[in-house]
């Protein structure tokens, strides 16, 4: 440690990762403690900070005009708030015993150690890239960062053929299928599961399958990709499964993500069953008073099942950052957990879920009843009313709400928020039937679809 550092009585906060969780934590800590008390150094290996990765499919698809609209705060804006943000600098090692990190400047290759009093790990998640022959060929793209999005847009603009294959049919897969449709591509989605959207039960996933086929997307389920085939020029020309080949001028990988915790693992920090860092309610890494972690690199408590899970969402990452920054700044805040709410769309089809699926409930030993109802987004006689399917799970005997899935058109997706609030509050389906929801014919039938499902579930609980 040099003499100038020894004379500096300020605490130093080091942040690894310059996106949602990391920079939210840094910004909140700065609000609570000025630069005369707290020095903040943040490392980001990429070229952008504080951006919405969730918006990349809509930028690729043309609904968002450019990457600038996805950036909440630039590096210059962070630096103007007295945060020493070092871009294109990757942390290579965490030395927990000596409280320091080793970082490499990716432009010059120079390495240096930086000591810390407090450390925030916000390293995010990495896309699952299967170890397949040809997967690194030109024309094969993942979509995790803004650089990834720009690379895909450039490929789409310069590719003569109009055939695309999306590997995976989760949120990213279905959203990228829509983006490619918007570019005029013939799209095939190859999915390992029995139906798209494995975050839904298969009966609800089947509705997504049928709707996607109705949009002109070719759906291939129960099929695992075995290799990516290339042409004489080395570029991708097809995707192969065990039984077939699907021509492709562009391939997009939408298989999902895993926590990026290699640094943490090497440092001996505690990881959970899904590979994410384990923290307490204040987002401190368990067993380490001066280390916090948040965002896509951590596991969180599922309030319905009582188990830890990994959910990569910007909403959670920003909340984690606020909690961490408050703790670093001397305040008190906690992140109690999640109920697993998510919403997506493919063209005009809206897909939403919260809580447990049937297999989730069985895995944790819960007995349940399930109901599925058909309704409409508005009063049936009002123009623009569209069909909606709601599936609801409730615990046997107690009637506690366990989960809700919704598939429909305009007005369907955000209705899942009703169920998310009910799950967080621990409500029963009987209690839900009395919720005083807003009603007018342009917005809902007299009985909102979620309440129709709750009434049917309550009746089934009483009969069970």
């Amino acid at each position: 440690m040099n003499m100038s550092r020894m004379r500096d009585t300020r605490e130093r906060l080091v942040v690894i990762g310059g996106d949602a969780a990391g920079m939210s934590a840094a910004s909140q800590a700065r609000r609570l403690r000025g630069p005369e008390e707290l020095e903040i150094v943040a490392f980001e290996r990429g070229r952008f900070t504080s951006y919405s990765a969730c918006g990349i499919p809509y930028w690729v698809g043309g609904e968002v005009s450019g990457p600038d609209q996805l950036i909440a705060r630039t590096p210059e804006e962070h630096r103007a708030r007295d945060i020493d943000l070092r871009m294109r600098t990757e942390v290579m090692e965490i030395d927990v015993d000596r409280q320091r990190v080793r970082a490499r400047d990716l432009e010059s290759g120079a390495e240096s150690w930086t000591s810390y009093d407090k450390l925030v790990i916000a390293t995010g998640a990495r896309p699952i890239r299967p170890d397949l022959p040809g997967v690194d060929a030109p024309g094969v793209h993942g979509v995790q960062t803004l650089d990834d999005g720009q690379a895909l847009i450039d490929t789409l603009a310069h590719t003569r053929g109009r055939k695309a294959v999306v590997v995976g049919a989760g949120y990213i897969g279905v959203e990228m299928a829509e983006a490619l449709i918007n570019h005029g591509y013939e799209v095939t989605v190859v999915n390992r599961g029995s139906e798209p959207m494995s975050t839904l039960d298969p009966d609800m996933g089947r509705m997504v399958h049928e709707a996607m086929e109705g949009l002109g997307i070719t759906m291939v389920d129960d099929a695992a990709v075995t290799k990516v085939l290339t042409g004489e020029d080395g570029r991708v020309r097809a995707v192969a499964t065990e039984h077939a080949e699907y021509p492709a001028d562009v391939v997009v990988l939408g298989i999902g993500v895993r926590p990026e915790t290699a640094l943490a693992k090497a440092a001996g920090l505690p990881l959970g069953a899904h590979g994410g860092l384990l923290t307490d309610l204040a987002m401190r890494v368990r067993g380490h008073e001066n280390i916090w972690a948040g965002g896509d690199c951590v596991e969180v408590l599922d309030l319905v099942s009582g188990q830890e899970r990994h959910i990569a969402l910007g909403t959670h990452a920003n909340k984690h950052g606020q909690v961490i920054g408050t703790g670093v700044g001397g305040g008190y805040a906690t992140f109690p957990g999640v109920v697993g709410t998510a919403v997506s769309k493919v063209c005009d089809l809206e897909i939403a879920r919260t809580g447990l699926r049937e297999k989730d409930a069985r895995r944790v030993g819960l007995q349940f009843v399930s109901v599925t109802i058909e309704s409409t987004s508005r009063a049936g006689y009002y123009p623009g009313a569209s069909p909606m399917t709601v599936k609801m799970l409730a615990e046997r005997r107690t009637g506690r709400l366990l989960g809700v899935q919704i598939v429909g058109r305009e007005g369907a997706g955000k209705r899942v928020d009703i169920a998310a609030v009910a799950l967080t509050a621990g409500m029963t389906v009987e209690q839900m039937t009395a919720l005083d929801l807003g009603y007018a014919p342009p917005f809902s039938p007299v009985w909102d679809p979620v309440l129709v499902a709750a009434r049917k579930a309550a009746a089934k609980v009483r009969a069970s």
Side-chain angles (χ1 to χ4, degrees):
M1 185 180 294
N2 62 41
M3 293 301 295
S4 63
R5 174 64 181 152
M6 292 178 66
R7 289 193 297 268
D8 192 341
T9 59
R10 297 181 299 171
E11 282 193 317
R12 177 182 286 164
L13 167 65
V14 167
V15 179
I16 307 174
D19 201 3
M23 298 318 294
S24 291
S27 297
Q28 177 67 358
R30 174 57 75 226
R31 292 185 193 102
L32 296 176
R33 299 183 67 184
E36 70 283 354
E37 295 182 8
L38 181 69
E39 178 187 5
I40 303 177
V41 180
F43 297 99
E44 168 54 46
R45 65 186 177 187
R47 293 179 172 85
F48 303 94
T49 58
S50 303
Y51 63 89
S52 171
C54 301
I56 292 173
Y58 308 110
W59 169 35
V60 174
E63 290 96 339
V64 176
S65 61
D68 290 347
Q69 293 190 35
L70 302 182
I71 298 172
R73 190 168 289 174
T74 65
E76 292 73 23
E77 289 173 315
H78 285 300
R79 291 174 184 136
R81 291 166 171 81
D82 292 300
I83 296 172
D84 180 3
L85 176 56
R86 303 176 188 180
M87 301 297 294
R88 298 288 294 149
T89 307
E90 182 173 8
V91 173
M92 309 302 294
E93 181 182 353
I94 301 170
D95 184 344
V96 173
D97 293 334
R98 300 179 68 177
Q99 293 192 196
R100 60 180 188 166
V101 301
R102 177 169 59 88
R104 175 185 296 164
D105 184 312
L106 296 179
E107 303 295 343
S108 68
E111 293 191 1
S112 61
W113 287 95
T114 302
S115 62
Y116 64 82
D117 299 294
K118 298 179 178 180
L119 175 67
V120 174
I121 302 172
T123 45
R126 66 183 184 277
I128 297 172
R129 198 173 185 94
D131 185 16
L132 297 173
V135 76
D136 294 320
V140 180
H141 292 266
V143 281
Q144 180 71 6
T145 67
L146 293 186
D147 287 332
D148 295 336
Q150 187 62 64
L152 177 56
I153 289 171
D154 292 342
T155 293
L156 296 177
H158 296 98
T159 298
R160 293 184 179 181
R162 310 308 290 176
K163 293 184 183 294
V165 171
V166 177
V167 181
Y171 292 107
I172 293 297
V174 300
E175 289 168 358
M176 291 310 305
E178 175 182 0
L180 293 165
I181 285 282
N182 290 347
H183 278 273
Y185 276 74
E186 297 177 38
V187 179
T188 299
V189 176
V190 180
N191 175 36
R192 181 187 292 269
S194 61
E195 300 292 351
M197 299 298 293
S198 62
T199 52
L200 306 177
D201 286 323
D203 54 338
M204 298 294 282
R206 186 65 194 174
M207 297 178 189
V208 178
H209 177 116
E210 293 169 353
M212 291 178 73
E213 286 193 330
L215 297 168
I217 298 169
T218 300
M219 299 297 299
V220 182
D221 294 321
D222 290 315
V225 173
T226 57
K227 65 176 67 175
V228 176
L229 304 175
T230 57
E232 293 181 359
D233 59 357
R235 289 186 55 81
V236 61
R237 66 171 180 83
V239 166
T241 66
E242 185 178 348
H243 302 292
E245 292 182 9
Y246 302 94
D249 302 296
V250 176
V251 173
V252 176
L253 302 175
I255 305 172
V257 298
R258 292 193 180 102
E260 181 61 271
T261 50
L263 268 178
K265 182 178 181 180
L269 300 177
L271 305 183
H274 305 283
L277 277 156
L278 296 176
T279 70
D280 63 17
L281 292 176
M283 304 307 298
R284 272 191 173 93
V285 174
R286 294 179 191 176
H288 297 269
E289 280 295 309
N290 64 336
I291 303 177
W292 288 256
D296 294 352
C297 66
V298 305
E299 296 186 15
V300 293
L301 176 65
D302 185 315
L303 297 174
V304 187
S305 71
Q307 297 189 339
E308 304 286 343
R309 41 185 312 202
H310 177 245
I311 302 178
L313 280 177
T315 53
H316 302 158
N318 280 284
K319 292 171 187 173
H320 295 167
Q322 288 290 306
V323 169
I324 292 168
T326 299
V328 169
Y332 173 72
T334 62
F335 183 81
V338 303
V339 294
T341 308
V343 62
S344 187
K345 77 178 189 74
V346 54
C347 297
D348 65 343
L349 181 73
E350 299 182 2
I351 308 157
R353 58 73 50 92
T354 189
L356 306 183
R357 300 164 296 179
E358 290 188 0
K359 68 178 183 180
D360 300 325
R362 291 191 187 98
R363 184 174 61 247
V364 297
L366 291 170
Q367 294 188 8
F368 59 90
V369 301
S370 69
V371 298
T372 302
I373 65 99
E374 306 288 337
S375 186
T376 56
S377 58
R378 304 172 179 175
Y381 57 80
Y382 193 88
S386 59
M388 183 188 314
T389 302
V390 180
K391 180 174 184 177
M392 184 172 288
L393 274 63
E395 187 177 14
R396 283 188 60 191
R397 295 181 61 190
T398 70
R400 176 171 67 109
L401 179 67
L402 296 179
V404 171
Q405 300 164 39
I406 303 174
V407 176
R409 307 292 171 175
E410 182 183 2
K414 285 294 283 180
R415 272 185 165 86
V416 79
D417 290 343
I418 304 169
V421 172
L423 280 168
T424 304
M427 295 180 70
T428 67
V429 287
E430 188 75 51
Q431 290 171 326
M432 288 181 67
T433 64
L435 287 174
D436 185 11
L437 304 183
Y439 161 69
F443 303 104
S444 171
V446 171
W447 281 93
D448 188 272
V450 173
L451 298 190
V452 174
R455 290 179 68 186
K456 189 172 181 180
K460 198 165 183 178
V461 167
R462 290 192 295 268
S464 65

